Amino acid sequence: MTLTLRTISREQHLAFIQSLPAASHMQVPAWADVKAEWRSENLGWFDKSGHLVGVGLVLYRQLPKIKRYLAYLPEGPVINWYAPNLDDWIQPMLAHLKQQGAFSVKMGPPVIIRRWNADTIKRGIQDPDVKRLRDLQADYIEPRAFEVADKLRRMGWQQGEDGGAGFGDVQPRYVYQVPLANRSLEEVHKNFNQLWRRNIKKAEKAGVEVVQGGYQDLPEWQRLYEITAVRDQFRPRPLSYFQRMWTALNTEDPNRMRLYFARHNGVNLSAATMLIVGGHVWYSYGASDNIGREVRPSNAMQWRMLRDAYAMGATVYDLRGISDSLDETDHLFGLIQFKVGTGGQAAEYLGEWDFPLNKLLHKALDIYMSRR
């Protein structure tokens, strides 16, 4: 199969994404507008009869002082990763990116290797010998994913460290997902742990209401998000980022991004953003106040978001990143504990991979990033 690769229009790119059951929200054309500080390009793969068979959103970040770029395809490209001739897909991409002045390429194949069910993870948490997800026997393993990894290594790709180098917002390798396909809502609810079910009931009894917000409510979102940033000690993104995200994504598709608030007695206690591409729905950013936790606004909000995702015909509700640590003393342990309560599955992706087109500059970038 001979494939050719060339720059395509945003319209072609979007039409291809819309023809698929799902794709990463970081591979829709509008994501380039969200990441305004990067230059972007839409790539298309064509088969010999001229049909578009794959797409990729590339973000280019220039190196300080020289006209060379890091080329980044977050959670992409959107190609047939299990194709026997993976080389025929990847080589034209590398040749093209090199021509564009890239010294290094970073990509995140949207390929899942392993899944662990909630019950398996709970057993792991209780076992003192188990410190990480990897220490647990997975409930599901995708053998083809290992073949993809082998092929990439043979081509000269290097597996990025978890949290690896590069300018990008490094994408989580481990995520938590609630599968919705071929399940009833009752079944999904029954799979929540007791604490979650109790908390949802508690919020209902207390009169917590969950509402959708719009662009005009983003300053209120920001207020809760900044309270969260202080509490959890991370650097918050500015309001302008979320405004740009809302405008860019919802201009592309009016149902691409949503905003939810859980409120009690008229006061907003928690908030979340939701992203939608085909049948894949993500809980993207979350925020909550330090007050009102006893009425369990976050559980109520997640349950409403999950029900809305289900009503849209989503096949998966994705709670995004978790750490792979099952150690209760780890500061990120609370995150996995909260998400495991939904009764879904932890999934491990192949992670991010780097291809140094210019070994010297790639090395220089690594050193530069490690000193920052």
Side-chain angles (χ1 to χ4, degrees):
M1 172 170 163
T2 14
L3 292 168
T4 53
L5 178 134
R6 60 175 183 267
T7 306
I8 56 172
S9 70
R10 288 178 66 137
E11 292 70 30
Q12 283 172 295
H13 184 150
L14 182 60
F16 184 80
I17 296 278
Q18 285 167 337
S19 74
L20 303 175
S24 169
H25 61 274
M26 297 183 193
Q27 282 294 306
V28 300
W31 194 251
D33 304 328
V34 179
K35 297 287 164 193
E37 68 281 18
W38 300 66
R39 179 166 77 82
S40 67
E41 187 184 14
N42 306 84
L43 298 181
W45 280 259
F46 293 84
D47 64 14
K48 53 176 180 290
S49 54
H51 291 122
L52 184 62
V53 289
V55 297
L57 175 68
V58 191
L59 302 173
Y60 294 98
R61 177 61 78 81
Q62 193 173 342
L63 264 188
K65 298 190 177 50
I66 53 170
K67 271 276 211 255
R68 300 302 290 276
Y69 303 87
L70 168 73
Y72 182 35
L73 295 99
E75 295 185 0
V78 185
I79 60 173
N80 178 8
W81 284 95
Y82 298 132
N85 56 332
L86 192 57
D87 243 30
D88 295 356
W89 293 80
I90 300 294
Q91 295 312 336
M93 177 180 86
L94 288 175
H96 175 86
L97 297 174
K98 191 171 189 169
Q99 234 178 343
Q100 294 289 314
F103 66 88
S104 186
V105 182
K106 182 186 277 296
M107 66 176 182
V111 173
I112 287 175
I113 317 186
R114 299 180 184 84
R115 294 181 187 273
W116 295 265
N117 293 335
D119 289 345
T120 304
I121 299 168
K122 280 177 212 157
R123 281 199 301 276
I125 290 170
Q126 282 150 11
D127 183 341
D129 293 335
V130 172
K131 294 282 179 244
R132 304 200 159 274
L133 273 174
R134 281 283 182 95
D135 301 341
L136 285 172
Q137 177 70 45
D139 292 289
Y140 172 78
I141 289 177
E142 174 53 84
R144 295 179 304 170
F146 293 94
E147 289 169 34
V148 173
D150 284 345
K151 286 176 184 170
L152 291 176
R153 269 188 213 99
R154 284 202 297 273
M155 284 181 223
W157 287 83
Q158 300 163 3
Q159 194 153 19
E161 293 306 307
D162 285 348
F167 295 93
D169 313 335
V170 173
Q171 300 318 317
R173 180 149 180 189
Y174 295 90
V175 300
Y176 207 84
Q177 300 177 335
V178 180
L180 300 176
N182 309 317
R183 298 175 74 199
S184 68
L185 260 183
E186 292 70 44
E187 211 180 314
V188 173
H189 184 262
K190 215 163 61 205
N191 256 20
F192 282 5
N193 70 11
Q194 237 176 336
L195 184 64
W196 260 84
R197 291 203 300 267
R198 213 168 42 230
N199 286 344
I200 290 167
K201 221 183 212 132
K202 200 182 249 180
E204 269 169 28
K205 243 196 184 124
V208 170
E209 54 166 349
V210 180
V211 296
Q212 265 184 262
Y215 181 86
Q216 70 286 355
D217 301 303
L218 286 169
E220 174 62 0
W221 147 265
Q222 191 71 15
R223 179 185 74 81
L224 291 167
Y225 173 64
E226 286 179 11
I227 291 171
T228 310
V230 172
R231 184 177 64 239
D232 294 349
Q233 299 173 330
F234 64 84
R235 208 168 80 215
R237 290 186 179 279
L239 173 60
S240 58
Y241 180 80
F242 295 103
Q243 289 172 328
R244 190 165 70 231
M245 196 172 176
W246 183 276
T247 305
L249 296 178
N250 288 335
T251 300
E252 178 175 277
D253 179 332
N255 197 32
R256 185 75 84 220
M257 180 177 175
R258 291 184 176 191
L259 177 62
Y260 286 84
F261 291 98
R263 57 172 67 143
H264 186 239
N265 296 336
V267 179
N268 292 320
L269 297 176
S270 62
T273 61
M274 180 199 259
L275 299 175
I276 301 144
V277 183
H280 202 130
V281 172
W282 292 264
Y283 153 54
S284 168
Y285 283 88
S288 61
D289 206 332
N290 298 326
I291 57 165
R293 302 189 132 203
E294 67 289 344
V295 295
R296 305 296 178 215
S298 294
N299 299 87
M301 184 172 64
Q302 288 296 341
W303 177 227
R304 161 74 191 271
M305 288 165 73
L306 203 150
R307 292 199 319 268
D308 284 2
Y310 189 88
M312 277 183 252
T315 50
V316 62
Y317 181 70
D318 196 322
L319 291 135
R320 288 295 281 167
I322 50 171
S323 133
D324 70 332
S325 172
L326 299 179
D327 179 354
E328 302 194 10
T329 60
D330 189 300
H331 73 291
L332 290 170
F333 176 74
L335 197 60
I336 191 167
Q337 200 175 30
F338 179 74
K339 294 178 181 182
V340 165
T342 60
Q345 304 169 322
E348 179 191 357
Y349 279 92
L350 262 189
E352 296 201 317
W353 293 70
D354 296 297
F355 194 95
L357 289 165
N358 177 323
K359 291 198 168 58
L360 205 67
L361 284 176
H362 180 83
K363 189 92 191 105
L365 175 75
D366 271 355
I367 293 167
Y368 167 71
M369 292 309 291
S370 65
R371 286 192 184 144
R372 284 177 73 179

Short mmCIF file of all heavy atoms in Angstrom, two decimals, residues 207-239:
data_model
loop_
_atom_site.label_atom_id
_atom_site.label_comp_id
_atom_site.label_asym_id
_atom_site.label_seq_id
_atom_site.Cartn_x
_atom_site.Cartn_y
_atom_site.Cartn_z
N GLY A 207 -30.13 19.03 48.19
CA GLY A 207 -30.63 19.96 47.20
C GLY A 207 -29.55 20.57 46.31
O GLY A 207 -29.71 21.68 45.81
N VAL A 208 -28.45 19.84 46.12
CA VAL A 208 -27.41 20.32 45.20
C VAL A 208 -27.97 20.26 43.78
O VAL A 208 -28.55 19.25 43.38
CB VAL A 208 -26.14 19.44 45.29
CG1 VAL A 208 -25.16 19.78 44.17
CG2 VAL A 208 -25.48 19.61 46.65
N GLU A 209 -27.83 21.36 43.03
CA GLU A 209 -28.27 21.30 41.63
C GLU A 209 -27.08 21.47 40.71
O GLU A 209 -26.14 22.19 41.01
CB GLU A 209 -29.37 22.31 41.34
CG GLU A 209 -29.06 23.73 41.70
CD GLU A 209 -30.04 24.74 41.09
OE1 GLU A 209 -30.85 24.34 40.22
OE2 GLU A 209 -29.96 25.91 41.47
N VAL A 210 -27.12 20.73 39.62
CA VAL A 210 -26.02 20.80 38.64
C VAL A 210 -26.57 21.48 37.38
O VAL A 210 -27.60 21.07 36.85
CB VAL A 210 -25.48 19.39 38.31
CG1 VAL A 210 -24.34 19.49 37.30
CG2 VAL A 210 -24.99 18.71 39.59
N VAL A 211 -25.88 22.54 36.95
CA VAL A 211 -26.35 23.30 35.80
C VAL A 211 -25.21 23.46 34.78
O VAL A 211 -24.04 23.38 35.13
CB VAL A 211 -26.84 24.71 36.22
CG1 VAL A 211 -28.06 24.61 37.12
CG2 VAL A 211 -25.73 25.50 36.91
N GLN A 212 -25.60 23.68 33.54
CA GLN A 212 -24.61 23.97 32.51
C GLN A 212 -24.40 25.48 32.43
O GLN A 212 -25.36 26.24 32.56
CB GLN A 212 -25.09 23.45 31.16
CG GLN A 212 -24.56 22.09 30.82
CD GLN A 212 -24.99 21.66 29.43
OE1 GLN A 212 -25.95 20.93 29.28
NE2 GLN A 212 -24.28 22.11 28.42
N GLY A 213 -23.15 25.88 32.22
CA GLY A 213 -22.83 27.30 32.06
C GLY A 213 -22.43 27.59 30.63
O GLY A 213 -22.28 26.69 29.81
N GLY A 214 -22.21 28.87 30.35
CA GLY A 214 -21.77 29.28 29.01
C GLY A 214 -20.52 30.14 29.11
O GLY A 214 -19.92 30.28 30.19
N TYR A 215 -20.15 30.74 28.00
CA TYR A 215 -18.94 31.58 27.92
C TYR A 215 -18.93 32.64 29.03
O TYR A 215 -17.90 32.90 29.64
CB TYR A 215 -18.89 32.23 26.54
CG TYR A 215 -17.67 33.12 26.33
CD1 TYR A 215 -16.47 32.57 25.89
CD2 TYR A 215 -17.73 34.50 26.58
CE1 TYR A 215 -15.35 33.37 25.70
CE2 TYR A 215 -16.61 35.31 26.38
CZ TYR A 215 -15.43 34.74 25.94
OH TYR A 215 -14.32 35.53 25.77
N GLN A 216 -20.11 33.23 29.26
CA GLN A 216 -20.20 34.32 30.25
C GLN A 216 -19.92 33.85 31.67
O GLN A 216 -19.67 34.66 32.57
CB GLN A 216 -21.57 35.02 30.15
CG GLN A 216 -22.77 34.20 30.65
CD GLN A 216 -23.21 33.06 29.71
OE1 GLN A 216 -22.68 32.92 28.60
NE2 GLN A 216 -24.14 32.24 30.16
N ASP A 217 -19.94 32.54 31.90
CA ASP A 217 -19.71 31.99 33.25
C ASP A 217 -18.25 31.60 33.48
O ASP A 217 -17.90 31.11 34.56
CB ASP A 217 -20.60 30.76 33.48
CG ASP A 217 -22.07 31.12 33.34
OD1 ASP A 217 -22.53 32.01 34.07
OD2 ASP A 217 -22.75 30.53 32.47
N LEU A 218 -17.40 31.79 32.47
CA LEU A 218 -16.00 31.38 32.63
C LEU A 218 -15.26 32.13 33.76
O LEU A 218 -14.44 31.52 34.44
CB LEU A 218 -15.25 31.50 31.30
CG LEU A 218 -15.61 30.40 30.28
CD1 LEU A 218 -15.05 30.73 28.91
CD2 LEU A 218 -15.10 29.03 30.73
N PRO A 219 -15.55 33.43 34.03
CA PRO A 219 -14.89 34.07 35.19
C PRO A 219 -15.24 33.37 36.51
O PRO A 219 -14.39 33.26 37.40
CB PRO A 219 -15.43 35.51 35.15
CG PRO A 219 -15.76 35.74 33.71
CD PRO A 219 -16.26 34.42 33.21
N GLU A 220 -16.46 32.88 36.60
CA GLU A 220 -16.87 32.15 37.82
C GLU A 220 -16.14 30.80 37.89
O GLU A 220 -15.70 30.37 38.96
CB GLU A 220 -18.39 31.97 37.80
CG GLU A 220 -18.97 31.11 38.91
CD GLU A 220 -18.73 31.65 40.33
OE1 GLU A 220 -18.12 32.72 40.50
OE2 GLU A 220 -19.17 30.96 41.27
N TRP A 221 -16.00 30.15 36.74
CA TRP A 221 -15.18 28.93 36.66
C TRP A 221 -13.78 29.24 37.16
O TRP A 221 -13.21 28.51 37.97
CB TRP A 221 -15.13 28.40 35.21
CG TRP A 221 -13.83 27.75 34.87
CD1 TRP A 221 -12.75 28.32 34.27
CD2 TRP A 221 -13.43 26.42 35.22
NE1 TRP A 221 -11.71 27.42 34.19
CE2 TRP A 221 -12.09 26.25 34.78
CE3 TRP A 221 -14.06 25.35 35.86
CZ2 TRP A 221 -11.39 25.07 34.94
CZ3 TRP A 221 -13.35 24.16 36.03
CH2 TRP A 221 -12.04 24.03 35.57
N GLN A 222 -13.21 30.34 36.67
CA GLN A 222 -11.83 30.71 36.99
C GLN A 222 -11.64 30.92 38.50
O GLN A 222 -10.63 30.54 39.06
CB GLN A 222 -11.44 31.98 36.21
CG GLN A 222 -9.96 32.31 36.25
CD GLN A 222 -9.09 31.35 35.43
OE1 GLN A 222 -9.61 30.60 34.62
NE2 GLN A 222 -7.80 31.36 35.67
N ARG A 223 -12.67 31.51 39.13
CA ARG A 223 -12.61 31.76 40.58
C ARG A 223 -12.42 30.42 41.33
O ARG A 223 -11.54 30.29 42.18
CB ARG A 223 -13.90 32.45 41.04
CG ARG A 223 -13.98 32.74 42.54
CD ARG A 223 -15.34 33.32 42.92
NE ARG A 223 -16.42 32.35 42.93
CZ ARG A 223 -16.68 31.50 43.93
NH1 ARG A 223 -15.90 31.48 45.02
NH2 ARG A 223 -17.69 30.65 43.85
N LEU A 224 -13.24 29.43 40.97
CA LEU A 224 -13.16 28.12 41.64
C LEU A 224 -11.86 27.41 41.29
O LEU A 224 -11.24 26.75 42.13
CB LEU A 224 -14.35 27.26 41.23
CG LEU A 224 -15.72 27.72 41.78
CD1 LEU A 224 -16.85 26.99 41.07
CD2 LEU A 224 -15.82 27.51 43.29
N TYR A 225 -11.44 27.56 40.05
CA TYR A 225 -10.21 26.91 39.57
C TYR A 225 -8.99 27.47 40.30
O TYR A 225 -8.07 26.72 40.67
CB TYR A 225 -10.14 27.12 38.06
CG TYR A 225 -8.89 26.67 37.35
CD1 TYR A 225 -8.50 25.34 37.31
CD2 TYR A 225 -8.11 27.62 36.67
CE1 TYR A 225 -7.37 24.95 36.62
CE2 TYR A 225 -6.97 27.23 35.97
CZ TYR A 225 -6.60 25.90 35.96
OH TYR A 225 -5.48 25.51 35.27
N GLU A 226 -8.98 28.77 40.53
CA GLU A 226 -7.82 29.37 41.23
C GLU A 226 -7.78 28.99 42.71
O GLU A 226 -6.71 28.82 43.28
CB GLU A 226 -7.79 30.89 41.01
CG GLU A 226 -7.34 31.20 39.58
CD GLU A 226 -7.29 32.68 39.22
OE1 GLU A 226 -7.41 33.51 40.15
OE2 GLU A 226 -7.14 32.99 38.02
N ILE A 227 -8.96 28.81 43.31
CA ILE A 227 -9.01 28.30 44.69
C ILE A 227 -8.40 26.89 44.74
O ILE A 227 -7.61 26.55 45.61
CB ILE A 227 -10.49 28.26 45.21
CG1 ILE A 227 -11.02 29.69 45.39
CG2 ILE A 227 -10.59 27.46 46.52
CD1 ILE A 227 -12.51 29.76 45.69
N THR A 228 -8.75 26.09 43.73
CA THR A 228 -8.24 24.71 43.63
C THR A 228 -6.72 24.71 43.45
O THR A 228 -6.01 23.90 44.04
CB THR A 228 -8.90 23.99 42.43
OG1 THR A 228 -10.31 24.16 42.52
CG2 THR A 228 -8.58 22.51 42.42
N ALA A 229 -6.23 25.63 42.61
CA ALA A 229 -4.78 25.70 42.32
C ALA A 229 -3.99 26.00 43.59
O ALA A 229 -2.93 25.41 43.83
CB ALA A 229 -4.52 26.77 41.27
N VAL A 230 -4.52 26.90 44.43
CA VAL A 230 -3.83 27.22 45.70
C VAL A 230 -3.83 25.98 46.60
O VAL A 230 -2.80 25.59 47.15
CB VAL A 230 -4.53 28.41 46.41
CG1 VAL A 230 -3.95 28.61 47.81
CG2 VAL A 230 -4.37 29.68 45.58
N ARG A 231 -4.98 25.33 46.69
CA ARG A 231 -5.11 24.16 47.58
C ARG A 231 -4.22 23.00 47.12
O ARG A 231 -3.55 22.36 47.91
CB ARG A 231 -6.58 23.72 47.61
CG ARG A 231 -6.84 22.56 48.58
CD ARG A 231 -8.31 22.19 48.64
NE ARG A 231 -8.82 21.69 47.37
CZ ARG A 231 -9.83 22.24 46.70
NH1 ARG A 231 -10.45 23.30 47.16
NH2 ARG A 231 -10.24 21.71 45.55
N ASP A 232 -4.21 22.74 45.79
CA ASP A 232 -3.48 21.59 45.27
C ASP A 232 -2.08 21.95 44.77
O ASP A 232 -1.39 21.11 44.21
CB ASP A 232 -4.28 20.91 44.16
CG ASP A 232 -5.57 20.30 44.68
OD1 ASP A 232 -5.72 20.22 45.91
OD2 ASP A 232 -6.43 19.93 43.87
N GLN A 233 -1.71 23.19 44.97
CA GLN A 233 -0.35 23.66 44.64
C GLN A 233 0.07 23.40 43.20
O GLN A 233 1.07 22.76 42.93
CB GLN A 233 0.67 23.03 45.60
CG GLN A 233 0.38 23.43 47.03
CD GLN A 233 1.26 22.71 48.03
OE1 GLN A 233 1.69 21.58 47.79
NE2 GLN A 233 1.55 23.34 49.14
N PHE A 234 -0.75 23.89 42.26
CA PHE A 234 -0.31 23.87 40.86
C PHE A 234 -0.48 25.28 40.29
O PHE A 234 -1.16 26.11 40.89
CB PHE A 234 -1.06 22.82 40.04
CG PHE A 234 -2.54 23.05 39.89
CD1 PHE A 234 -3.06 23.90 38.91
CD2 PHE A 234 -3.45 22.39 40.73
CE1 PHE A 234 -4.43 24.10 38.77
CE2 PHE A 234 -4.82 22.58 40.59
CZ PHE A 234 -5.31 23.44 39.61
N ARG A 235 0.16 25.52 39.15
CA ARG A 235 0.05 26.85 38.55
C ARG A 235 -1.15 26.90 37.62
O ARG A 235 -1.21 26.16 36.64
CB ARG A 235 1.33 27.18 37.79
CG ARG A 235 1.58 28.69 37.76
CD ARG A 235 2.96 29.05 37.28
NE ARG A 235 3.00 28.98 35.82
CZ ARG A 235 4.07 28.57 35.15
NH1 ARG A 235 5.16 28.19 35.78
NH2 ARG A 235 4.06 28.54 33.84
N PRO A 236 -2.13 27.76 37.93
CA PRO A 236 -3.35 27.75 37.12
C PRO A 236 -3.14 28.38 35.74
O PRO A 236 -2.30 29.26 35.59
CB PRO A 236 -4.33 28.58 37.94
CG PRO A 236 -3.48 29.51 38.73
CD PRO A 236 -2.19 28.78 39.00
N ARG A 237 -3.90 27.93 34.77
CA ARG A 237 -3.90 28.60 33.47
C ARG A 237 -4.73 29.88 33.61
O ARG A 237 -5.66 29.92 34.42
CB ARG A 237 -4.55 27.70 32.42
CG ARG A 237 -3.69 26.49 32.09
CD ARG A 237 -4.35 25.73 30.94
NE ARG A 237 -3.58 24.57 30.53
CZ ARG A 237 -2.52 24.60 29.73
NH1 ARG A 237 -2.07 25.75 29.28
NH2 ARG A 237 -1.91 23.49 29.39
N PRO A 238 -4.45 30.90 32.79
CA PRO A 238 -5.22 32.14 32.90
C PRO A 238 -6.62 31.99 32.33
O PRO A 238 -6.88 31.09 31.52
CB PRO A 238 -4.40 33.14 32.07
CG PRO A 238 -3.66 32.29 31.08
CD PRO A 238 -3.39 30.98 31.78
N LEU A 239 -7.51 32.88 32.72
CA LEU A 239 -8.88 32.89 32.21
C LEU A 239 -8.89 32.94 30.68
O LEU A 239 -9.70 32.29 30.03
CB LEU A 239 -9.64 34.10 32.79
CG LEU A 239 -11.04 34.38 32.24
CD1 LEU A 239 -11.97 33.21 32.47
CD2 LEU A 239 -11.62 35.65 32.86
#
